[in-house]
Structure formats: C-alpha cells, structure tokens
Amino acid sequence: MRDMALDEDLLRRIKALGGGSYQDVAYLRDGTIIGIGDLMFTRAIYIDLDLNGWGKRFCFEDKDRAVDEYAKLQSGDDEPTGWIARRGR
C-alpha cells in the first residue's frame, strides 16, 4: 500500500523543481509521474518525471491539444499525438 502523504510530497517537490513551469504534476495508474507546462513557444507534456528531471517530453504548438492529450494518458507507455517535437528516450 502506498503512503499517500509521501506521494503528494514527492509531487510537490517535483513541481517546485520545475521553477513554476509545471502547471500540473500527477501520478498515472501504473505509478508513472507526468506533468504539463509551458515552455517559451509551446506547451509540453512530460512523462516519467522524478527528482532528476523527465524521461520524455512532447511539445505542442496547440496548447489546448496538449491539455487534451495529457488528460488521455493512462500509463507511462502511452504516447500523445499531435506533438511537433519530442525529446528523451
């Protein structure tokens, strides 16, 4: 059984490390941590976040599309569609 207080603390710490760039940080059902936030010209979905950064980042010109794709994620293996740039593994 997971300790929800520790889980929420980890999410807060990751969000703080983003320096205000993460609008949301959350757990998926499989335990993967995801986030969404704005970059200079795009909105990004981050998958596999931890205290050292992110595993994958998908950038979107259409910010509303990014929000919709973020909401669809079910596991760390899911990949959003409609992105214009991808970084990471």
Side-chain angles (χ1 to χ4, degrees):
M1 182 175 213
R2 290 169 42 169
D3 184 330
M4 297 307 282
L6 289 176
D7 290 349
E8 290 302 315
D9 182 58
L10 178 57
L11 294 181
R12 278 193 296 277
R13 290 175 61 199
I14 290 171
K15 193 170 183 179
L17 287 172
S21 65
Y22 297 137
Q23 296 168 351
D24 185 63
V25 176
Y27 281 101
L28 296 176
R29 290 181 197 162
D30 67 355
T32 301
I33 300 174
I34 59 170
I36 189 168
D38 289 336
L39 300 172
M40 189 172 281
F41 301 108
T42 61
R43 181 162 289 162
I45 293 175
Y46 302 90
I47 298 176
D48 201 18
L49 283 165
D50 61 26
L51 293 172
N52 295 309
W54 44 266
K56 295 181 274 188
R57 183 180 76 192
F58 300 88
C59 300
F60 295 78
E61 279 183 319
D62 182 338
K63 293 182 178 187
D64 291 331
R65 174 78 182 261
V67 172
D68 291 343
E69 291 296 316
Y70 181 74
K72 291 178 187 176
L73 295 173
Q74 297 294 313
S75 79
D77 294 326
D78 290 349
E79 185 170 304
T81 61
W83 46 269
I84 60 165
R86 175 189 172 153
R87 303 285 183 269
R89 302 179 230 131

